[in-house]
Every structure is written in C-alpha cells, then in structure tokens.
Amino acid sequence: MKGQGLSHKLENDLVIRAAMGERTPNVPVWFMRQAGRSLPEYRAVRKRGSILDTIQDPQLSAEITLQPVRRYGVDAAILYSDIIVPTFAVGFGIEVVEGRGPVIRDPFRSEDDLKRLRDLEPETDTAYVIETIKILANELSVPLIGFAGAPFTVASYLIEGGPSRTYVKTKSLMRLNPVLWHQLMERLTRLAIASLESQIRAGAAMFQLFDSWVGILSPSEYREMVAPHSNAIFRGLAHLNIPSIHFGVGTASLLEQMAKSGCTVVGVDDRTGLDDAFRITKGKVALQGNLDPVNILIGTEAALNESRKVLSASAISPGYIFNLGHGILPESDPEVIKAVVDLVHEKGAGLREDASKP
Ligand code: CP3
C-alpha cells in the first residue's frame, strides 16, 4: 500500500520530483528548522513549557508547521515535532530544555535500560502526531516532510544524557560493549520505522532521517556500528515507495556509505561542496543543501552571494533541492531568509544552467 501522501494531489510537487532525481524546471527550496524559533509568529503562538507539550496540541502544531510555508513560500513543509518524540512517547524519561536540547535524568547505561525502550504504538502513543499530519494533509499545497532521528544520533542523547561535544560515553559504550550497542540501535531502529510508517500513512509525502551528529565517527566505525541500522530504516520503508533524505553534519567521509542506504537524496552539510558530494556519491542520489546557516546572519548581500555559489555548484546534480547545510539559527532574520527563497525561485534554474555550460 502506498502512503496517503502520494494519493493526495499536490499543487506543487517540485520537491518530490527533485528527490526522485529529476532536473526540475524550478529549483525547490525548504529549510531545516524552518518551523520554530526564528519566527516571531511562532513565539507568539507557542505555549509555555517544552516543545513536547506544544506538539500535543495538533491544531497548534499544524499552524506552526504552516507558518514558514506562508511567510517564505517554501516548496515543502516539515512537521513541527522533534527527533526524540518516539523515545519520549514510550516513556524513556526525556525532556527538552530550551536553549539546551534533549536532557535525560537517567541516561542509558546497561542492559536493564533496554526495558525502557518498548515498541512504539503510534495510534495510541503518538496519536497527536498522526492528528497533526491529517490536519496538514488537507491544508497543504506542498509536500509534508515527516522525519525521525537516526539511531546513532538518538542513542547519543540517551547515553550522554544531553548534548555533548566529545561523545565520550557514546564511544565508550560502542567500543566496550558492542553487543549492547547493537541491541540499543535495533530498538531505536524499530522506533524510527514505526514512527515514520505512521507519519507516511497519515499523509507525509516524504521523510528525512536526521543523523545530525554521526560525522564524529570514522568510515569504518560507521560501516560496522551504524550503517546496518540506518540502512534497515530505509529498507524497512521501501515498500511505501516515497522519496527519502539522509542527512548528517560533517559527513564528507561518510557520504558514500550514506548514499547507499536506500535513500533517494543525501543532505549535504556546508563543509562539503555539492560538486564533491556528487562525485563521492557517483550521482546515484539527488542532493540537498548546503548554504552555511551563518550566511543568513551576515546579511542579505552575503546570503545571496553565497546562495548563488551553492546553486552553481549544484548544477552537476540533476536532482537537487536547495537547503541549508544545517538548521536555521534562532537569531536569523526572516527577511534575509525570504530573500534567499526568492533568489532560488527566480534565478536558481538559470544559475544551474549557466554553470552547466562549458
Ligand atoms: O522546522 C523544523 O525543522 C521542524 C521541527 C524540528 C525540531 N527539531 C523542532 C524543535 C526538527 C526537524 C527537529 C530535529 C532535531 N531535534 C534534530 C535534528 C536536526 C538538527 O538540527 O540537527 C536534533 C539534533 C534535535 C534535538 C533538539 N531538540 C535540539 C538540539 C533542540 C534545540 C534546543 C534549543 O532550544 O536550542 C531541540 C528543541 C527544539 N526542537 C526546538 C524546536 C523548534 C526549540 C525549542 C522550542 O522552541 O520549543
């Protein structure tokens, strides 16, 4: 059975077509972290408490998801939710602290902690997510992107107990107790598949797997400790036949493997040129990225100049979606973001064509 996302006729399906490898007549654009703190209209409607409270109100979550689509005219919406929602929903004991991120009072330490990661039953555990997507499927004229955290990135939060710079605890568990590591990864893989499958059946037209922090691993450790699990997610959802994006930060040395996961798009961070990413992935997948989010803070001129360079570098890849190399920074000026969207829509295809000429 196909996801309802595909049966819903969309006015604008550029993102889907680009994600399937098509050179589209206009360049589609959306931004990671487009829904959220950089928008004054978000701060105006957001409830007190954490994001985990706000997302349990489907009307409000749908509204927050729609805000950037209205303001910027982006070609895709991304669900307002978070990568730790499935672990939160099965009762692992996780919170999100503003300005810090996910925090766990009792981090994952031993085999006993596997019991705290039972299977997700989306219809009951995350009914509010399904409800939000159903509202959106009726409202949107652009595709809705569902998402999940990749097992490695979610595991890193569960093991560290919060954000980390060095990942000492994660690497220790991985290297000292590989059996437990793989058991944990298998649990998180099942959570991600169940969550994504429910999002797609409710109306998400494609999905992104966020492996934000996996760039700290070597290619050989990625191959052994991470790839089997992340790849199982793409394989497990292949029967739904929708495009999928595989993203991480600092992944130049991992892109080749990430592209072989079964995804249709690789998300490229801003430390890797799109032309290099194309060569590394041998053109087997479409590309997404990769404007440095800091350029938005430098000002309109810099943001537009650097966006032009990104568009030129993207010319080599037929399937291409403009995005940042990582999420929008909270202090970004919405006017600058809007100027980038307009540039991509008005000049993107032409800049790609010019750059293709010898
Ligand atoms: O616009 C969107 O991208 C959709 C919503 C979204 C959020 N988180 C909302 C959110 C998405 C796709 C995410 C993914 C996510 N969450 C990732 C992967 C993407 C990435 O940036 O690498 C990661 C690592 C997380 C974990 C997490 N949750 C962090 C690091 C934070 C930020 C902490 C902070 O306040 O600086 C959160 C909380 C969070 N998730 C916020 C939002 C809008 C901010 C808090 C809030 O406004 O309630």
Side-chain angles (χ1 to χ4, degrees):
M1 195 189 113
K2 286 188 174 179
Q4 291 180 6
L6 279 190
S7 55
H8 180 69
K9 186 82 188 83
L10 290 164
E11 273 166 49
N12 173 353
D13 64 353
L14 283 175
V15 161
I16 302 283
R17 285 156 58 193
M20 291 299 207
E22 191 182 316
R23 192 177 285 274
T24 52
N26 287 303
V27 179
V29 46
W30 71 278
F31 301 106
M32 294 182 271
R33 292 287 176 90
Q34 67 187 18
R37 282 186 307 175
S38 60
L39 286 179
E41 56 267 41
Y42 168 71
R43 293 190 289 265
V45 298
R46 192 189 175 292
K47 287 188 175 164
R48 285 179 181 280
S50 101
I51 180 173
L52 297 173
D53 302 314
T54 309
I55 60 165
Q56 293 184 51
D57 180 341
Q59 279 298 341
L60 183 54
S61 300
E63 166 60 24
I64 294 170
T65 304
L66 288 164
Q67 285 177 341
V69 181
R70 275 193 218 114
R71 183 190 268 260
Y72 300 132
V74 281
D75 300 284
I78 181 151
L79 182 68
Y80 177 72
S81 181
D82 198 81
I83 58 166
I84 54 92
V85 166
T87 24
F88 161 73
V90 300
F92 187 82
I94 186 162
E95 292 164 62
V96 175
V97 177
E98 224 185 317
R100 203 161 161 234
V103 174
I104 297 94
R105 196 175 312 159
D106 261 324
F108 186 95
R109 287 280 171 273
S110 69
E111 209 179 326
D112 261 2
D113 295 317
L114 289 170
K115 294 191 199 103
R116 295 157 65 196
L117 290 168
R118 66 160 170 84
D119 278 346
L120 182 76
E121 287 166 26
E123 303 289 334
T124 45
D125 294 327
T126 48
Y128 47 88
V129 172
I130 295 172
E131 185 54 34
T132 302
I133 295 175
K134 287 186 174 160
I135 297 170
L136 286 165
N138 279 321
E139 299 264 331
L140 280 167
S141 55
V142 295
L144 176 68
I145 302 174
F147 69 90
F152 173 84
T153 289
V154 176
S156 78
Y157 283 111
L158 302 190
I159 297 166
E160 302 291 333
S164 171
R165 274 189 307 117
T166 54
Y167 299 93
V168 172
K169 294 180 182 124
T170 307
K171 289 177 171 177
S172 300
L173 193 143
M174 180 189 282
R175 292 168 195 174
L176 296 176
N177 195 345
V179 172
L180 181 59
W181 170 261
H182 285 297
Q183 286 173 329
L184 171 58
M185 294 291 275
E186 276 163 24
R187 295 278 169 128
L188 297 176
T189 297
R190 290 160 70 108
L191 284 177
I193 292 176
S195 172
L196 286 168
E197 177 139 19
S198 72
Q199 293 177 48
I200 296 160
R201 292 205 186 279
M206 59 193 284
F207 71 89
Q208 176 155 324
L209 191 69
F210 282 97
D211 212 350
S212 302
W213 314 132
V214 78
I216 60 142
L217 296 184
S218 69
S220 61
E221 204 158 39
Y222 181 86
R223 181 173 294 110
E224 196 178 334
M225 297 295 180
V226 177
H229 307 288
S230 288
N231 298 2
I233 296 174
F234 291 103
R235 269 203 315 278
L237 296 165
H239 65 289
L240 294 168
N241 226 349
I242 70 167
S244 52
I245 308 160
H246 198 178
F247 169 78
V249 179
T251 54
S253 68
L254 307 179
L255 280 184
E256 188 181 358
Q257 293 185 67
M258 288 173 71
K260 289 182 188 157
S261 59
C263 63
T264 67
V265 185
V266 157
V268 183
D269 72 282
D270 43 76
R271 284 176 261 165
T272 312
L274 288 173
D275 37 6
D276 288 332
F278 184 82
R279 285 179 210 108
I280 294 167
T281 59
K282 303 187 178 71
K284 290 201 169 93
V285 287
L287 299 182
Q288 171 176 284
N290 70 344
L291 180 72
D292 183 344
V294 169
N295 286 319
I296 304 288
L297 304 186
I298 299 177
T300 310
E301 274 290 299
L304 295 183
N305 281 334
E306 296 303 317
S307 298
R308 286 186 193 98
K309 290 184 200 163
V310 167
L311 285 158
S312 297
S314 80
I316 188 170
S317 179
Y320 173 62
I321 301 163
F322 189 96
N323 204 314
L324 302 178
H326 198 180
I328 292 180
L329 295 163
E331 55 275 41
S332 298
D333 177 352
E335 296 292 319
V336 180
I337 297 173
K338 174 73 176 132
V340 170
V341 171
D342 291 346
L343 173 85
V344 173
H345 282 157
E346 286 158 23
K347 303 264 172 22
L351 286 164
R352 271 161 62 76
E353 215 166 285
D354 292 348
S356 308
K357 286 176 191 148

